[in-house]
Amino acid sequence: MGQILLDLAVLGLLRDTPLHGYELKRRLADLGFWRVSFGSLYPGLKRLERQGFIESLRDGGRKRTYQLVPAGQAHFEHLLIEETNTTEDERHFHLRLAFFRYLDGDTRIKSLDRRRNELVERLADSRRSMRLANGRGRERPDRYAKALMERGVRSTESDIAWLDQLIAAERSEQASPSSAEQSQGETQWAK
Amino acid sequence: MGQILLDLAVLGLLRDTPLHGYELKRRLADLGFWRVSFGSLYPGLKRLERQGFIESLRDGGRKRTYQLVPAGQAHFEHLLIEETNTTEDERHFHLRLAFFRYLDGDTRIKSLDRRRNELVERLADSRRSMRLANGRGRERPDRYAKALMERGVRSTESDIAWLDQLIAAERSEQASPSSAEQSQGETQWAK
DNA sequence: GCAGCAGTATATCGGTTCGATATAGTCTCG
DNA sequence: CGAGACTATATCGAACCGATATACTGCTGC
């Protein structure tokens, strides 16, 4: 699981502009999905350089600037559309969303659709195992176990509804590509 | 971060009954929060034994049965009520909930309250950084970045509301401890 | 002008985690 | 009885993480 997240995030951030490791860490934190430690970041950057996806160069002092090379951009795009199961780790999917601007509309919709299918399947699983747990006689789940299961179901339902909105918005923009990018979500589902 | 989750889950499961490693892995998976691999589980069990929290004994073949010892039970209870920040990793909090039956009402409410405060704080942070991102002129966030932020806010809000229900239910049971354990959540917020 | 402190920046270490894989015993059913 | 699925434990290499070491820069106040 691990390094896919790191690779995707680092390559995605470097796609726009070269950065120092330190600044990279700050922006990684700003993305908000997970907190990378230096113990992961610097070895990870070394690995990415070894793999030929990025280049680093010292500028004067001990600072190092990292920048994407073409092979890295290709790898980034691969990671962005790759068909891995993202149900297990929603951070993976959310990170993709954060870089969705680099994908065309069709690919976006395909990706959103696939995620939706995964969630629908998960929802069915959850409901099934809830019925099972409540059904069998001896030792039914306690109040908190039940609350936890119900929360899971509700949050999956709400994620599916969210995806439906994203898909609809994407479709409607594809139909009339003139309407502005930035005013899309504001009225549609403001608090 | 890491081994707290494993320790809490393993000790919690062993609290009820001794188990084999394999069965432990299955029940860990049933909890649904994360999937432990053998490469984590067996070394982890070794560590817990080294630390004096569990004991293992071979039964005939190559099977090993792991059981809790008193020091382990004490450690489990410590992990269950310890005041760590659970905002960063919600699996930690949910795992606690799964073992809430081992805590008394007051401790439960304290724990739920603390979690609620953390979420309220996070909510304020999210809203603040959203305003910031929308406010500053150059390069406003794209549609998906915005959707992501809004989803975060809504899901935190809904988690807070959920906690409010759990707290209310706990309080009402403390007031009238006669009413049954198992019929609590069913009518209150069934689909 | 320089002492002190906060922030920038890179690096490494030990312990831990994970996915893959090896190995072998058991159960089932045709 | 033998093939295939499942139970069960173990280990390897690569990666990850938290803590910590190191050192430079910039600024603030006296």
Side-chain angles (χ1 to χ4, degrees):
Chain A
M1 179 83 55
Q3 84 262 47
I4 294 180
L5 233 55
L6 184 68
D7 288 10
L8 190 54
V10 166
L11 298 177
L13 287 175
L14 291 182
R15 216 203 111 123
D16 273 340
T17 166
L19 290 169
H20 294 156
Y22 199 81
E23 173 69 12
L24 209 36
K25 176 172 157 58
R26 191 186 295 107
R27 299 207 186 186
L28 251 21
D30 285 349
L31 286 179
F33 305 120
W34 89 119
R35 46 279 126 190
V36 206
S37 68
F38 287 123
S40 312
L41 179 59
Y42 284 115
L45 287 170
K46 265 187 191 165
R47 177 175 47 78
L48 285 169
E49 186 162 23
R50 181 164 24 92
Q51 293 173 326
F53 295 142
I54 61 175
E55 261 177 21
S56 79
L57 36 103
R58 301 206 103 96
D59 50 352
R62 95 215 81 270
K63 281 180 163 186
R64 247 173 210 292
T65 303
Y66 297 91
Q67 63 178 326
L68 208 57
V69 298
Q73 178 158 340
H75 186 52
F76 169 66
E77 263 141 44
H78 171 69
L79 290 175
L80 207 48
I81 62 176
E82 190 192 14
E83 302 219 351
T84 55
N85 188 331
T86 58
T87 319
E88 310 284 335
D89 189 0
E90 71 170 12
R91 293 174 304 173
H92 189 172
F93 177 69
H94 288 170
L95 195 49
R96 281 184 177 180
L97 276 193
F99 293 123
F100 247 36
R101 58 175 174 280
Y102 298 122
L103 294 177
D104 63 289
D106 282 340
T107 316
R108 288 181 193 172
I109 289 183
K110 250 184 68 184
S111 193
L112 293 168
D113 253 339
R114 198 152 50 75
R115 168 80 176 168
R116 192 186 187 282
N117 289 339
E118 288 168 1
L119 288 188
V120 166
E121 205 172 321
R122 168 199 284 203
L123 186 57
D125 283 353
S126 302
R127 286 211 230 263
R128 199 174 314 123
S129 74
M130 251 179 77
R131 265 194 305 275
L132 215 85
N134 284 329
R136 68 178 165 221
R138 51 134 201 115
E139 212 183 333
R140 298 170 59 196
D142 66 63
R143 180 149 48 102
Y144 285 98
K146 209 194 267 183
L148 222 30
M149 285 190 274
E150 282 166 5
R151 193 208 89 110
V153 166
R154 268 180 298 121
S155 97
T156 306
E157 282 169 351
S158 123
D159 266 354
I160 291 172
W162 179 57
L163 284 176
D164 285 339
Q165 289 174 322
L166 291 180
I167 291 168
E170 190 65 57
R171 285 233 164 82
S172 91
E173 202 202 341
Q174 240 170 313
S176 63
S178 58
S179 75
E181 165 84 347
Q182 58 259 48
S183 67
Q184 200 49 286
E186 258 155 7
T187 56
Q188 203 159 356
W189 26 286
K191 177 80 213 279
Chain B
M1 174 87 55
Q3 83 262 48
I4 294 180
L5 232 55
L6 184 67
D7 288 11
L8 190 55
V10 166
L11 298 177
L13 287 175
L14 291 182
R15 219 202 109 122
D16 274 340
T17 167
L19 289 170
H20 294 156
Y22 199 82
E23 174 66 13
L24 210 37
K25 178 175 156 55
R26 193 186 294 107
R27 299 206 187 188
L28 252 20
D30 285 350
L31 286 178
F33 306 120
W34 90 118
R35 45 281 126 187
V36 207
S37 67
F38 288 122
S40 312
L41 180 58
Y42 285 115
L45 287 170
K46 266 187 191 164
R47 176 174 49 76
L48 285 169
E49 186 163 22
R50 182 164 24 92
Q51 292 172 326
F53 295 141
I54 61 175
E55 261 178 19
S56 79
L57 36 102
R58 302 206 101 96
D59 50 353
R62 94 219 82 267
K63 282 180 162 185
R64 246 175 210 291
T65 302
Y66 298 91
Q67 63 178 326
L68 208 57
V69 297
Q73 179 158 340
H75 186 51
F76 170 66
E77 263 139 44
H78 171 69
L79 290 176
L80 206 48
I81 62 176
E82 191 192 15
E83 301 219 351
T84 55
N85 188 332
T86 58
T87 319
E88 310 284 336
D89 189 0
E90 69 169 14
R91 293 174 304 172
H92 190 172
F93 176 70
H94 288 169
L95 194 49
R96 281 184 177 181
L97 277 193
F99 293 124
F100 246 36
R101 59 175 174 278
Y102 298 121
L103 295 177
D104 63 290
D106 282 340
T107 316
R108 288 180 194 174
I109 289 184
K110 249 184 70 185
S111 193
L112 293 168
D113 253 338
R114 198 153 49 76
R115 168 78 176 170
R116 193 188 187 282
N117 289 339
E118 289 168 0
L119 288 189
V120 166
E121 206 172 318
R122 170 200 282 203
L123 187 57
D125 283 353
S126 301
R127 285 211 231 264
R128 199 174 315 121
S129 75
M130 250 178 79
R131 266 195 302 277
L132 215 86
N134 283 330
R136 68 180 165 219
R138 50 134 201 115
E139 210 181 334
R140 299 169 60 196
D142 65 63
R143 180 150 47 102
Y144 284 99
K146 208 194 267 179
L148 224 30
M149 285 189 273
E150 284 166 3
R151 193 209 89 111
V153 166
R154 269 180 297 122
S155 97
T156 305
E157 284 169 349
S158 123
D159 266 355
I160 290 172
W162 179 58
L163 284 176
D164 284 340
Q165 289 175 322
L166 291 180
I167 291 168
E170 190 65 58
R171 286 233 164 82
S172 91
E173 201 201 342
Q174 241 170 310
S176 63
S178 59
S179 74
E181 164 84 347
Q182 57 260 46
S183 68
Q184 199 49 288
E186 258 157 6
T187 56
Q188 204 159 355
W189 27 285
K191 177 75 212 283

